[in-house]
Each structure stands twice: as C-alpha cells, then as structure tokens.
Amino acid sequence: MKLAQHYKADIVENKWYKIWLEKKYFHSEPNEKEPYTIVIPPPNITGILHMGHVLNNTLQDILIRRARMLGYNACWVPGTDHASIATEARIVANLKSKGIDKHSLTRDEFMKYAWEWKEKHGGIILEQLKKLGASCDWDRTTFTMDDHYYKSVIHVFVDLYNKGLIYRSHRMVNWDPLALTALSDEEVIYKKTNSKLYYVKYFLTDDSGYLTIATTRPETILADTAVAVNPNDDRYKHLIGKYVYVPLVKREIPIIADQYVDPEFGTGCLKVTPAHDLNDYEIGKKHNLEIIDIFTPDARLNENAKFLIGQDRFEARENIIPLLEKEGNLTKIEDYENNVAYSERTDVPIEPRLSLQWFLKVEELSKPAMQVVLDGTIKFYPDKFINTYRHWMKNIKDWCISRQLWWGHRIPVWYLPNGEFVVAHNEEEAYTLALKKNPNLKKIELHQDDDVLDTWFSSWIWPIAVFNGILQPNNEDINYYYPTNDLVTAPEILFFWVARMIMAGLEYRKQVPFYNVYFTGIVRDKLGRKMSKSLGNSPDPLDLIDKYGADGVRMGMLFSSPLGNDLLFDEALCEQGRNFANKIWNALRLVKMWKIDPVKPTDTINVKSISWFNEQLKASIIEINHYFDEYRISDALKSVYKTIWDYFCSWYLELIKPNYGEPVDANTYNSTINFFKTLMQLLHPFMPFITEEIWHLLQDNYNIDDTIMLTPWPTADSYDENIINDINFIFEFISTVRSLKAQYNITKEDIEVYYNDTEYDKVIKDYEELILKMAQVKSINKNKQLKNTAEALVRTITISIPITETNIEEEKEKILKELDYYKGFLANVNKKLKNENFLKKAPDKVIENEKKKQQDTIKKIESLKKLLKKYEN
RNA sequence: GGGCGCUUAGCUCAGCUGGUUCAGAGCGCCUGCCUUACAAGCAGGAGGUCAAUGGUUCGAAUCCAUUAGCGCCCACCA
C-alpha cells in the first residue's frame, strides 16, 4: 500500500462522517446499559457557527465520545432555539428590505412568513456542526417551537399559573423602544456613557426662593410629580411639605422627604418622575404620587408632556434646554459620566416604562435550586462559579416573562370583553372556562393575549422537553435519559439559563437536570480582544476546517483552553493540530513500510523498549483518565499529545526502528501495532477522524463495518515505576551525550563515552545498546582518563567524550559557574541538616532525602573539582 | 458601592491539603541538520528574586495579612 507523505484531512473527514451517519453510530435508544446524556445548548436558529460554538461543541463531543467508549449508552441531543427577539428582529429587517412593514401584516401573515424564513435559513448551524465531527444523535434534533415543545411550554405556563406562581402586574419594566418590547433584567447591559448633568431651578410656590436639582434627563422634568430631599438634610428640612412649580409646565408638586436621597450627590435634591425611573417609581408608590407618563412606546413625547410633543427623547433633551434657559430655570451644565442601560438586542438605551406584564414568582423555585448546587448534587467546573451562583440566587427577583413580539410561544391567556381573563391550554378550553364567567359569551369575543413568552421560558425546560417529559412525564425516554450528565456552557448564561433549568428540573422532575456543569471561557483573539463581527477578528470556523481539517481545528481550540478560563485563540494552534495529525500519519507510514520476518528473534533493544513503553503507556493512561475525571480536558489532551509525540515517536519508534532495508521481527511489529491502536483510542475523542482512519489502516483488513468509536476505552491500574525511572535516567544520559556532541560539532559515530561512577553501573549496562543506538556512539566505558575530553554531568556522574581541541578558558568558566551553584546548594542543605529543629520536627523521609542530597552534591562537587584541576594543569 | 478571582520564562498557562535536586510545559526565539516515516520534521540551547512588603514555620511559588496592578459578576446614585 502506498501512503501519501502528507495527511489529507478533507477526504478522510468527509468519508468517515458519512459512514458514521449511515451506520447510525450516534443514535441512541434506551437499553439495558447505563445512559450518558448531554443536551446541546441550543444555538439560535438564525445563528451561524462561530468560534465559541467550536469550543463548546468540541468539548461536548469529547465527553460524549469518551463516554461511548467507556461503554455507556451515550446520547447527545442536538437542537435549536427560536430566540424570539433576535429572530424576529432579523425577520422584520428582512421584510423591511422588501418594503414590507411588520405592522401592515396580520399576526397570521407575519407568522407564515416567519416560518417560511425559518425553513429556509434556519438550522444551517447544525449542518456546520457535522463538519466539526459532532457525534449528535441527529434523529433527536429538537426545535423549541416544534409542536410537542410548544405545547410543553404552554403546559408549564398554565401549570405555574394554576399553582399561583404566575401573575400579571403593572411594573416598571426595561422597555426597548426600538424593538417595542419589555426585556428582562438580564437582557440589559450597562455602559459607561459621557453625558451632562443639568442644574435646574424649581421655584417655591410661596415665592420664598427655589431649589436646584441636578439631572441627566431634563426632558423628564415634564413628568415630575415631586421633589425629594433627605429627611436629615439640615439644608432642606424646613422646606419639607412646601410646594414648588415644575419648570415650564408650572405644575405644583410637593417637596417630600425620603431616605433614598443621597445628600452628597448633586445638590441633595431629587426630582421624582415615577413614570420614567425605577427608583422614582418606588418612591412614588410609597408617597402615593401621581404618575404622569409622557412617552409613547417608541420613546417620543406625548400630549401629557405639553411641550415638545412628538419629539424623540434625545431631541427633546436638547430642545428643552433653551426653553429652560429662557424661563430662567437653568443654572449650569456639567460634563458627567454615568451608567446608561442599553438593550442587549438592539443596542438602544432602555426606557424604564410602566406597563402590564406577566411575571413568574421565583423565590420558592430558587431555594431548592440553590441548595442542589451548594450541597454538591450539581458540580460546577470550575467551582468558583458556585459563589456567583449563590449570590445571584439570594438576590433573585421575579422574572418578567412576557415579550411584546409575535415570534414565539403566545401567552395562553384569553381576555373577556369585560377585562376578565382565563388561562388555558388552548382556545377550546379557554372558551369552556370563559363560559363559566359569562354564559352568554361568544367565542369570537374572546381575545388571546398578543404577547409571547421570553425565550428563556422555553429553554429552561430544554433537558426535559427534548425527551417530551413535560407532556408525558412517564415516557421511556425521559425516565431513561434524565437527569443528563454534563452541561457545557458559557458563564454568561449562568443566570439566564443554567439556574432556570435547575429550577424547572426540580419543579417538574423532582430531580436536577444535570450533574456536572462545565463552564467554558470566552474565545478571544491573540491580543486578548473578544471575538466579534464588528472587530472582524473572528475567523470563520469553516475556513479553518478547510485549511487544517476538523481534527486540527479541534486540537487548536482545545490546546489553548484551560478549564473555565478565557482562551486566546491563535490560528497557529490549528496549524500545530494539523502538524500533529501529520506526525501521526507518518508514524503510520513508518510502521506500514516495515517488512515482517516471522522467524527473526526480538533483539535486546526492542525487548527493553517494548517493556518500557508498555509501562509508560499505562502511566499515561492513568494520568489521562485522572484529568478527565477532573474535567481538565485540555490537560488530558496535552498528556495524549506528549505520549504520542515524545514517548512513542521520538523515543519508542526511534529505538525499535530497524535499519534501512532490514525486516522487523513479528513480536516487535505486533507490540507496536497494539501500542499504536491504544494511542489512537486515547486520541479518538479529541481527533475523531484521523484516529478512525488510522485504526482501520492498522488492521489487517480495512473493514468499514468496524469502528474505533465503539472500542473499549483504555484503562490501567498501576505501572512499574522502576522501569520508568531507569529509562528516564538513560534518556538523560543519551541527551547529555547528544548535547556534548552538538556542542563540539561531533558528527562521527565511532567515538567512545566514559563515565566515572559505580552507582549507575547496572542501569547503564542493562541499557547499553539503547544508549549506543540513540546517542550514536561506539562504546561506553568506565573510568578511563583521556587527554582531551569534553565532560558533562548526568545526575551525579560525569561523562566524557574525546575531542580534538578544547577551549580551556571556556570550559573552566563553565565549571566554575556550576561549582558555585552546587556549593551554594550544599551550604543550604548543610544548614538544614545542622538545624536541630529541622532534625526534630521534619519527617524522617524528608531528612533522609536531605542527606541523600548532601551526598550527591558532595560527589558532584568533587567531580567538578577534579575536572577543574585537569584544566588548570 | 458589594462580592469573587487573578499576578510564575517574551506569550499562554501547569505546579493538589507547605518537604521528590522544584522552579516546569507548550508556543515563540537562537544554533546545527533536507539523517530513506515526517522540514507540517530532527537534535541541541538560552530565558524567571514565582507582583511587592511583612508574618507563621525547621522549611513558603504553595498558608496568613497588607499594598499595587488586572479581570469578572452583582447593584445602578438622580
């Protein structure tokens, strides 16, 4: 068989993914085996694959593939989220580009268009995940607006309403004046903004003077209904209970006292605008103030403002200034930096707005959800997020779940003409319920709530609803796959999603939704900037896959991502991944190139090499499994990488490789093939494609009905430390000889090496042939002094090789430097050993070790001194 | 303002409840090699007062305190 010099990823990857799908290796059905389940964090239906997805899904694929090899019935459920605000925004924009205004359509027309759009553009991301090698059970692909899922969401709303946990209320909400919808607190981002602080006079109605108030939003003056001061503020105490005129509109409003006012800020006087500020609203409620709303839903001034009617809030802010100036109300304007709330979706400043919304009471739901994390039922990796979680859960507020959109799950509430309402699973049921309130009601008089539910109100039941466990709480799937095992997600959505899934899981299954949560970091570019479209610093994962192969990209991503930390992504790491694939490929080429001689005995070098690598492999397996147990995936990969590249390729293969043209004995060949196979198994979760290909090429027959992904994961209990220690010494010995040769430019192989110590006699004799082969020298001898030698230390022994000329000064300098170091080292050890407290208190083991250090160092110093003497003569 | 975390080589990070000659790895950098698996490679090399100060201890990169710098989360002061 002829193998190409370079590994060709694209051909191999396309071939295998197709076969895997055909063979349904990813598909799972409940059986007698133990399940291992992961549900994907559903990406937005409109989304396309970005580097964050690559990281997140590579990790999930690694976990699920290893679980599959460990013998679990592994099931990774994929799917997408309808993402109401984001998707509706895109659909509206798309309509607009065709000259269609959303509001010119009926709800049904709009939804029809939206579904068409979804069928056409949705789900691209799932196809992209296949390129990455994701081993999802595609037969279980779920969309949050699939029929059964939709009904599940509605069921949950009705159920929670009937339990008294959902209520409708006037509340100050975060209003997005562009999207024309309320947002949850989590969808608001605060940005430091340069703005101005305006100082405005409010004249007392009794003509006894004025108060000055500092505000960043002068346009809301028109909606003021009080002025507040701190009750303990001596400057203003005497004014409490008096009245002032609101500038321009000349409305009389009271001066009230409230602890909320900070006497230190601004002038110590606060204008109270209950309709347009959350805190003012609270104050207003307390003091029973009038609420005057001066904004339209898209944040223009309405008739209530009396001035600047029809102007946008920012226009009005500018235009009210000259008016105030003219009336003599404005005293000064200062530059000021403050935090302004922006909509995460549309990036416009939020307008606090009073409106009727639906809320979920979360206090009762959050208590058990906090408990399961604190008591370790659910583990967070890394665990630092437990604190963040606890802090948030303690201060959790009711969840505003209604959104003024059409794309999503329509709130299952029907209103009667008189304003009463019923909550039901569907219109029929609603009508039946409504008839009880009004027996003469006609069906057409019922009107369903126009709003939809927050997207997270559907995704919080994801781990249950993908198995249809809400509508059919006892079906086989949900009973088998739930609770799931791992969740891999970003810390940004710890509250949006993770916390809420825990609440829903406990409420609807009485069980946590997952046992382990792995938090990934943010993918940044190599300069540390967050990857974003606007910066243009985010590579397209598909381009990277074309260039380096999916295996290479997976490697590159994983190589730089320690658990829970942000990762600085550098394309060079994908290159490193591709190079690794090529390295493995060439190791295969080497092995496949050999001719096998079935009667040839195994020579000493190979016997020893095989016995060493056998132990080394066990040691590596133990380490790799240990890292997996701690979810240190990147460390596990590094360990596999080192085992393959350093131990297997650089040492083992070089040791056993026959001279050109010579055959290899059957024992060596078989051992090597078996080692190679085990290494491919260890690497498979990380690089699924190349490992599958090589697994097949290592077999006697290339049989595509076979697969590496269902072979048992390698395990080991213990390894022989002595063999590994001996070999490590031998490798050091070899490296030192190579180093000496490199230093003195010796390329010959016929030189002799000398060493001067008896302690390592046995090891050196045992592994003599290995040294000769790898260090490329003729012989190793003891205690012979030559005239011209170059020398170096390996642990406590001195080795020397003959050279033709020596730069004596340079050598002396080197030795003196080393001597200095070891003298200092010895002094430290001596000091310790003379310290009575140390001898009394330190454990015996430590003392013994110090003594050994002492002896070794004395030995080394003697050797160095001898050498020095030689040079001085 | 409240909470959490970080600071170890040029870069990214390991280093578990103090004690293995403990100061490490990968990348980058430098030197020499196109050696019949691989130049997408091989061999060798240089680089660090473990942020600063003080304390605990026989012993501190590791534990404690303070300081400086950085990051994240929460709250949102008009």
Side-chain angles (χ1 to χ4, degrees):
Chain A
M1 181 182 347
K2 191 86 181 146
L3 297 173
Q5 189 167 343
H6 285 169
Y7 172 63
K8 300 228 172 23
D10 49 346
I11 299 169
V12 171
E13 293 181 358
N14 288 329
K15 174 179 76 184
W16 279 113
Y17 204 84
K18 239 171 93 189
I19 295 173
W20 290 339
L21 286 182
E22 280 165 15
K23 303 273 177 195
K24 292 207 168 281
Y25 291 140
F26 307 154
H27 182 61
S28 166
E29 287 292 334
N31 63 18
E32 71 294 341
K33 286 203 284 188
E34 198 179 326
Y36 193 101
T37 319
I38 298 179
V39 290
I40 204 170
N44 291 358
I45 189 77
T46 62
I48 53 164
L49 196 69
H50 60 59
M51 297 308 286
H53 295 124
V54 173
L55 171 65
N56 183 280
N57 289 291
T58 298
L59 284 164
Q60 290 175 73
D61 197 41
I62 290 167
L63 293 170
I64 207 80
R65 281 180 185 272
R66 177 165 177 268
R68 204 175 278 127
M69 291 174 77
L70 280 168
Y72 293 103
N73 181 353
C75 183
W76 181 14
V77 183
T80 45
D81 189 294
H82 67 288
S84 55
I85 297 184
T87 307
E88 179 153 329
R90 292 196 57 176
I91 295 170
V92 168
N94 188 268
L95 279 168
K96 207 172 176 183
S97 73
K98 294 181 178 172
I100 305 170
D101 179 31
K102 174 189 164 188
H103 298 285
S104 72
L105 299 176
T106 65
R107 188 183 188 115
D108 287 344
E109 284 166 349
F110 176 84
M111 287 304 280
K112 189 170 165 248
Y113 184 84
W115 275 106
E116 276 168 16
W117 193 87
K118 180 254 167 190
E119 291 308 325
K120 203 167 152 197
H121 298 101
I124 295 173
I125 194 161
L126 298 181
E127 291 309 308
Q128 294 178 316
L129 282 178
K130 293 179 182 171
K131 285 266 176 224
L132 192 62
S135 61
C136 302
D137 184 350
W138 299 108
D139 298 336
R140 294 182 178 275
T141 305
T142 305
F143 176 50
T144 50
M145 281 171 66
D146 283 346
D147 186 53
H148 79 274
Y149 203 111
Y150 194 105
K151 285 178 179 148
S152 302
V153 174
I154 300 305
H155 177 91
V156 166
F157 183 98
V158 175
D159 179 63
L160 292 175
Y161 175 81
N162 289 335
K163 286 173 177 161
L165 292 174
I166 286 179
Y167 62 95
R168 192 181 192 220
S169 170
H170 271 291
R171 286 283 283 268
M172 190 63 91
V173 295
N174 305 299
W175 182 260
D176 180 332
L178 189 60
L180 298 177
T181 177
L183 301 176
S184 69
D185 291 345
E186 288 75 19
E187 288 164 314
V188 175
I189 313 166
Y190 288 89
K191 293 192 202 172
K192 281 218 182 334
T193 308
N194 289 320
S195 53
K196 304 240 187 271
L197 197 54
Y198 302 88
Y199 287 79
V200 182
K201 288 180 190 169
Y202 284 56
F203 292 97
L204 287 149
T205 51
D206 61 5
D207 286 340
S208 63
Y210 61 86
L211 286 172
T212 306
I213 285 162
T215 180
T216 52
R217 300 200 57 189
E219 75 279 15
T220 64
I221 285 173
L222 304 168
D224 284 353
T225 54
V227 167
V229 298
N230 190 292
N232 302 319
D233 193 333
D234 291 335
R235 293 172 296 178
Y236 304 118
K237 257 183 181 167
H238 63 288
L239 297 176
I240 295 165
K242 292 192 173 191
Y243 286 76
V244 292
Y245 290 116
V246 175
L248 304 176
V249 288
K250 299 284 188 295
R251 188 167 52 240
E252 290 186 22
I253 59 172
I255 298 169
I256 59 172
D258 198 291
Q259 287 288 355
Y260 170 76
V261 181
D262 175 5
E264 303 291 316
F265 188 90
T267 60
C269 299
L270 171 71
K271 68 191 228 24
V272 184
T273 322
H276 301 298
D277 182 278
L278 184 60
N279 293 304
D280 290 10
Y281 175 70
E282 296 300 325
I283 295 174
K285 244 183 7 193
K286 214 155 91 188
H287 296 271
N288 223 353
L289 298 175
E290 192 187 350
I291 295 169
I292 301 175
D293 186 341
I294 59 163
F295 285 127
T296 59
D298 61 347
R300 294 175 181 279
L301 270 59
N302 64 20
E303 300 75 32
N304 295 337
K306 301 213 168 68
F307 288 79
L308 308 171
I309 294 165
Q311 293 195 13
D312 176 77
R313 54 186 164 159
F314 300 111
E315 277 177 78
R317 188 172 305 167
E318 272 179 36
N319 293 336
I320 198 170
I321 299 307
L323 298 180
L324 289 169
E325 236 169 349
K326 209 169 129 200
E327 293 287 314
N329 289 95
L330 193 72
T331 60
K332 62 173 171 173
I333 304 174
E334 279 177 358
D335 284 327
Y336 182 66
E337 190 189 62
N338 65 341
N339 272 330
V340 176
Y342 282 78
S343 162
E344 192 190 30
R345 300 294 172 192
T346 58
D347 204 35
V348 300
I350 293 294
E351 195 56 54
R353 183 162 195 258
L354 206 55
S355 63
L356 258 185
Q357 303 286 346
W358 290 97
F359 290 87
L360 175 67
K361 288 187 200 168
V362 284
E363 204 194 337
E364 286 310 309
L365 294 170
S366 70
K367 279 179 191 161
M370 178 150 78
Q371 183 56 28
V372 291
V373 171
L374 295 185
D375 70 17
T377 309
I378 294 177
K379 293 195 178 61
F380 283 180
Y381 298 90
D383 60 8
K384 65 178 176 187
F385 288 110
I386 296 173
N387 275 328
T388 318
Y389 181 79
R390 178 177 49 207
H391 191 252
W392 188 75
M393 291 297 264
K394 255 191 197 159
N395 300 303
I396 193 165
K397 286 188 287 186
D398 284 356
W399 176 12
C400 174
I401 53 174
S402 43
R403 295 290 181 277
Q404 288 63 51
L405 301 165
W406 285 346
W407 178 247
H409 307 81
R410 191 168 180 181
I411 293 177
V413 175
W414 280 262
Y415 300 93
L416 283 68
N418 67 359
E420 283 186 281
F421 63 81
V422 294
V423 175
H425 294 87
N426 52 52
E427 198 173 15
E428 291 307 313
E429 190 189 14
Y431 185 55
T432 314
L433 289 172
L435 282 177
K436 286 180 192 159
K437 293 180 189 272
N438 176 0
N440 300 320
L441 189 78
K442 289 184 191 123
K443 203 167 173 185
I444 200 161
E445 291 175 305
L446 265 186
H447 178 71
Q448 186 175 0
D449 198 303
D450 283 314
D451 295 348
V452 299
L453 291 159
D454 180 12
T455 299
W456 301 103
F457 193 84
S458 61
S459 37
W460 76 324
I461 56 170
W462 181 252
I464 306 171
V466 293
F467 299 115
N468 205 11
I470 296 283
L471 301 179
Q472 296 170 23
N474 260 320
N475 81 67
E476 194 186 4
D477 278 357
I478 189 76
N479 287 335
Y480 182 75
Y481 291 112
Y482 190 96
T484 70
N485 294 73
D486 302 325
L487 178 76
V488 179
T489 190
E492 294 105 277
I493 54 175
L494 173 57
F495 308 130
F496 276 120
W497 194 45
V498 180
R500 287 168 181 165
M501 277 193 289
I502 298 173
M503 292 186 218
L506 292 170
E507 178 70 15
Y508 285 99
R509 299 298 306 171
K510 310 290 170 222
Q511 262 181 316
V512 295
F514 31 69
Y515 294 116
N516 303 293
V517 184
Y518 181 107
F519 291 101
T520 62
I522 294 169
V523 183
R524 298 174 182 279
D525 68 10
K526 62 181 166 186
L527 300 175
R529 299 172 305 180
K530 198 168 170 172
M531 285 191 172
S532 71
K533 263 189 206 157
S534 52
L535 270 176
N537 58 349
S538 177
D540 181 344
L542 294 184
D543 290 345
L544 291 175
I545 289 173
D546 279 347
K547 228 163 139 185
Y548 304 107
D551 284 337
V553 173
R554 290 165 67 114
M555 277 276 297
M557 208 67 208
L558 254 283
F559 238 121
S560 53
S561 63
L563 170 58
N565 281 0
D566 285 1
L567 66 94
L568 303 192
F569 178 78
D570 185 348
E571 199 173 315
L573 289 168
C574 294
E575 196 180 330
Q576 200 187 336
R578 181 201 58 178
N579 293 355
F580 184 45
N582 196 52
K583 181 76 185 174
I584 299 166
W585 182 252
N586 275 287
L588 175 82
R589 283 179 71 212
L590 174 68
V591 173
K592 287 307 232 185
M593 200 175 268
W594 290 337
K595 283 190 290 275
I596 304 148
D597 182 342
V599 292
K600 184 182 170 183
T602 313
D603 66 34
T604 325
I605 295 182
N606 290 17
V607 168
K608 294 196 161 141
S609 301
I610 290 165
S611 112
W612 158 68
F613 193 76
N614 199 37
E615 296 310 312
Q616 180 57 57
L617 192 52
K618 284 196 267 183
S620 293
I621 289 169
I622 290 169
E623 183 177 79
I624 291 158
N625 283 328
H626 170 74
Y627 283 139
F628 266 114
D629 290 344
E630 294 187 347
Y631 286 79
R632 293 168 63 175
I633 312 295
S634 183
D635 290 324
L637 172 60
K638 282 175 186 169
S639 187
V640 178
Y641 182 84
K642 188 182 168 63
T643 305
I644 293 178
W645 199 308
D646 293 353
Y647 296 137
F648 186 64
C649 292
S650 297
W651 286 109
Y652 175 78
L653 288 179
E654 292 298 334
L655 276 166
I656 58 143
K657 153 166 121 173
N659 291 327
Y660 181 65
E662 286 176 20
V664 71
D665 66 275
N667 174 37
T668 299
Y669 181 77
N670 291 333
S671 302
T672 305
I673 295 288
N674 286 332
F675 290 150
F676 211 147
K677 282 187 183 168
T678 306
L679 292 169
M680 290 305 96
Q681 289 173 307
L682 289 170
L683 185 62
H684 177 72
F686 304 96
M687 301 180 97
F689 294 107
I690 189 173
T691 49
E692 179 78 291
E693 175 72 3
I694 289 189
W695 177 263
H696 285 76
L697 291 168
L698 286 170
Q699 313 288 342
D700 297 333
N701 300 310
Y702 192 105
N703 176 6
I704 59 155
D705 291 330
D706 187 22
T707 179
I708 190 174
M709 87 174 67
L710 299 175
T711 61
W713 179 257
T715 56
D717 305 322
S718 62
Y719 59 93
D720 187 334
E721 274 184 66
N722 294 327
I723 292 184
I724 290 191
N725 288 341
D726 285 352
I727 276 283
N728 282 342
F729 169 77
I730 296 301
F731 288 173
E732 278 175 51
F733 194 105
I734 292 165
S735 291
T736 308
V737 175
R738 283 172 175 174
S739 170
L740 280 171
K741 286 179 73 177
Q743 208 176 325
Y744 291 96
N745 254 325
I746 299 168
T747 48
K748 289 181 296 189
E749 293 180 19
D750 63 349
I751 60 162
E752 299 174 323
V753 178
Y754 301 94
Y755 68 97
N756 72 341
D757 191 275
T758 49
E759 190 184 341
Y760 291 95
D761 255 5
K762 188 173 178 307
V763 189
I764 292 171
K765 281 274 164 301
D766 276 356
Y767 291 96
E768 193 175 358
E769 293 96 332
L770 277 68
I771 300 174
L772 298 182
K773 180 166 184 178
M774 298 298 279
Q776 304 263 297
V777 292
K778 194 174 86 186
S779 65
I780 305 165
N781 308 294
K782 216 170 111 183
N783 286 336
K784 188 171 156 194
Q785 287 291 338
L786 294 170
K787 287 242 168 72
N788 266 336
T789 58
E791 333 227 349
L793 280 179
V794 183
R795 299 200 185 165
T796 63
I797 72 171
T798 309
I799 63 172
S800 43
I801 61 168
I803 52 172
T804 47
E805 54 184 276
T806 320
N807 185 337
I808 291 180
E809 287 312 310
E810 217 172 79
E811 285 299 313
K812 266 168 75 177
E813 205 177 304
K814 220 174 72 186
I815 293 165
L816 281 170
K817 216 170 136 190
E818 269 187 88
L819 207 48
D820 263 359
Y821 171 81
Y822 284 114
K823 277 180 177 169
F825 189 83
L826 182 62
N828 270 335
V829 176
N830 284 340
K831 204 172 122 196
K832 249 191 208 175
L833 284 170
K834 275 183 199 145
N835 184 331
E836 278 179 34
N837 276 325
F838 173 72
L839 295 173
K840 235 188 285 172
K841 293 181 183 173
D844 292 347
K845 231 172 136 185
V846 175
I847 294 174
E848 267 170 44
N849 190 45
E850 288 301 314
K851 284 184 180 162
K852 171 100 167 82
K853 273 197 224 172
Q854 189 185 37
Q855 284 165 12
D856 286 355
T857 312
I858 290 170
K859 239 194 228 173
K860 278 184 197 175
I861 290 174
E862 275 169 11
S863 301
L864 287 166
K865 277 183 176 166
K866 248 190 236 167
L867 265 180
L868 199 60
K869 225 182 200 170
K870 209 183 89 189
Y871 286 123
E872 277 167 350
N873 287 339

